[in-house]
Amino acid sequence: MDDFYAARSGLIPPLPWSTFSPPFSDPASSDPSREAIFFQRLEVLSGFDAARQLWESPQMQAANISGGRWGGVQGSDPGSGSQAWSMLTHMNGRPMPKGGSGMVSTSLGRFIEAHQGTVLTNMPVVALMIEDGRCTGVECADGSRFRGRKGVVSTIHVKHLMQMAPSDLWGQAFTDSVEVWQPEMAMFAFHFALKGSPEYPLAGGGSVTGAEASIMERPESIFKLNEDNARGELTLEDYPLQIVHAAGYDRSRAPDGFSLLKIEGGMPYALKEGPEHWDAIKDEVADQVLDRYLRYTPNLTRENVLARVIMSPIDIERMNPAMWRGSVHHLDKRWGNFAPYRMPIPGLYQTGACTAPGGSVTGQPGRNAAIAILEDDGKTLAEVVGRG
Ligand SMILES: Cc1cc2nc3c(=O)[nH]c(=O)nc-3n(C[C@H](O)[C@H](O)[C@H](O)COP(=O)(O)OP(=O)(O)OC[C@H]3O[C@@H](n4cnc5c(N)ncnc54)[C@H](O)[C@@H]3O)c2cc1C
């Protein structure tokens, strides 16, 4: 249980929950640079306060805080200071799989099948098979059972996994630790198929486009999210929006003359009327968010929208129960309170966003879990994949 709260030494260390680190020397070194000390001190502030130190222009403050929220935490919160320079990261660009993020899973599935593995989908696991105190397999909703020769590896959300075996097997310390897990601000994702593609006018004339954009008018708007989350209310005027229109670059996604638009961001999951109230209001919320977005793209109107798929925070959880309460990173990953790769029940391993260093598409939890699993099987990663 030495890996209970953090990654084991020798594994990839957890990233800071905000992945935007400044490109300066290590402040822990014996002779840190002036810049390193300055940025280290900025990091412990909120993104809002740090942005006001760095930028005179409210537009640059808002742009960085808005883009900083993509990592799941709002820049109103202490410790989110590095969001104040999130645009530095975004200027480097972000890798996107051709065909969309789903192609990562599809390709991994093909790799498994090409190596005599089997991938079964639409098979919800409802129980862990326990024999002599050891996890030996899983039982699915249709009653089918699958036995693991050496063990079982889970990416089921740990809050759900713990319902799948007797409570006394998890141990009190682990149970207490998971009890206090908090969801992060829930996510919404509104998808639109468009005739034409978005263009943003430039102040000096002409226009610009891009694979992603971030919108928030006023830096102080970031404070609305926590207040609304506490109240279960929505204030739609100026929430930070993440705009994705990768079809402009990846022409495999839409025919010529057409494009795709995704507007996403954080909104409260638990509305004061209950999370199911999202079903009643999501189309109207999406209309308002779309209208707000269209103010920035005068070449488009609602007439350009051919079809849409509107996913509210509760829809995201319904799509994938591991996105507990709409947390696409499975939980608020700031506090380093992750599940261990070796779970308290022998033979059961956990990977994915509930383990260090948390959610996002990094591959790091998988790699770390593989190291632990191989170690228990008397092997090393280097032996199996040819490098460490
Ligand atoms: C709209 C949206 C946009 C995002 N944008 C980004 C981004 O730009 N960059 C980024 O890095 N990350 C992004 N993310 C977050 C990212 O997708 C997640 O952090 C990541 O997928 C977590 O990976 P994972 O393998 O741990 O779990 P998941 O991808 O959540 O996979 C868990 C799997 O377990 C399955 N499962 C759950 N319960 C059971 C059960 N009982 N039985 C069987 N199967 C079960 C689920 O169906 C799912 O297939 C986004 C997420 C969403 C929803």
Side-chain angles (χ1 to χ4, degrees), residues 70 94 101 105 123-126 155-157 160 164 187-189 191 212 242 244 262 264 311 316 319-323 327-330 333 351-354 358-362 365:
W70 296 4
R94 299 206 309 154
S101 300
S105 318
M123 296 284 283
V125 170
V126 293
T155 58
I156 294 171
H157 198 286
H160 302 148
M164 298 182 188
M187 198 154 170
F188 66 91
H191 302 261
E212 287 192 295
Q242 180 181 356
V244 186
K262 179 170 65 164
E264 57 188 2
M311 298 196 71
I316 286 182
M319 168 189 76
N320 177 356
M323 295 185 169
S327 297
V328 305
H329 302 99
H330 295 197
K333 58 183 171 175
T351 185
C354 285
S360 287
V361 183
T362 66

Side-chain angles (χ1 to χ4, degrees), residues 248-270:
Y249 292 84
D250 176 0
R251 294 306 313 160
S252 69
R253 299 202 200 184
D256 286 347
F258 299 88
S259 68
L260 301 171
L261 165 72
K262 179 170 65 164
I263 308 179
E264 57 188 2
M267 282 193 201
Y269 169 91

Side-chain angles (χ1 to χ4, degrees), residues 99 152 299-300 368:
V152 170
N299 71 314
L300 299 177
N368 287 351

